[in-house]
Amino acid sequence: MASILITSHGTGHNDDLVFPDGVMVDTTALHNPPDDPAVRATLSQLTGQHPDVAAYVLGTPGAHDLIATALTEVKRRAERGEPVIWVIVHCYGGRHRSVAIAERLATELRQLDHNVCVAHRHIDRPLLPSRNPA
């Protein structure tokens, strides 16, 4: 059984994140609460660990395909016998999309009896200015 280390982070914080040969998951194409005027007031101050934010992010077309692709790669590496598998999930701010996807990946991997640790590098940082102001 592999140990799977999942880290979510926000690329907009401009601090280097280096992991050895990790599985990279880019969530920037998914819906982002701070960029959506319809949910900005209610969801922006929450994080991807909140069920409403997770449902919003996971409701983006393609979100489940992104998760499936990451799961397939992690399973492939585990079957190859890699003892430690790094999964790096990123978005711009590191509070909503990357966190929601990292948590969903962790849940699904735990159901497969993997040892999973999750760290959210920027979850407690202030919101970054929107790159897509509405």
Side-chain angles (χ1 to χ4, degrees):
M1 175 181 12
S3 290
I4 301 167
L5 308 173
I6 302 173
T7 299
S8 73
H9 76 105
T11 58
H13 294 285
N14 297 318
D15 55 350
D16 292 333
L17 184 65
V18 178
F19 285 107
D21 191 30
V23 175
M24 301 298 290
V25 182
D26 180 354
T27 68
T28 56
L30 303 179
H31 294 288
N32 188 23
D35 294 338
D36 183 347
V39 299
R40 183 180 298 134
T42 57
L43 300 184
S44 287
Q45 297 306 315
L46 304 172
T47 72
Q49 290 177 316
H50 191 281
D52 292 344
V53 174
Y56 177 83
V57 171
L58 293 167
T60 304
H64 293 281
D65 292 337
L66 186 68
I67 292 166
T69 299
L71 287 171
T72 297
E73 178 61 15
V74 169
K75 289 176 194 175
R76 186 183 68 77
R77 290 174 180 228
E79 288 168 1
R80 254 189 354 212
E82 292 186 27
V84 178
I85 301 167
W86 295 88
V87 180
I88 300 91
V89 185
H90 70 89
C91 61
Y92 180 63
R95 293 176 44 97
H96 302 100
R97 295 169 290 181
S98 63
V99 171
I101 297 300
E103 291 291 338
R104 176 56 66 93
L105 281 169
T107 297
E108 297 204 19
L109 288 164
R110 286 181 183 119
Q111 290 173 352
L112 298 172
D113 291 327
H114 287 289
N115 179 23
V116 180
C117 292
V118 180
H120 300 296
R121 188 172 172 126
H122 298 124
I123 195 170
D124 293 324
R125 297 267 181 102
L127 286 173
L128 294 174
S130 177
R131 296 189 312 172
N132 301 314

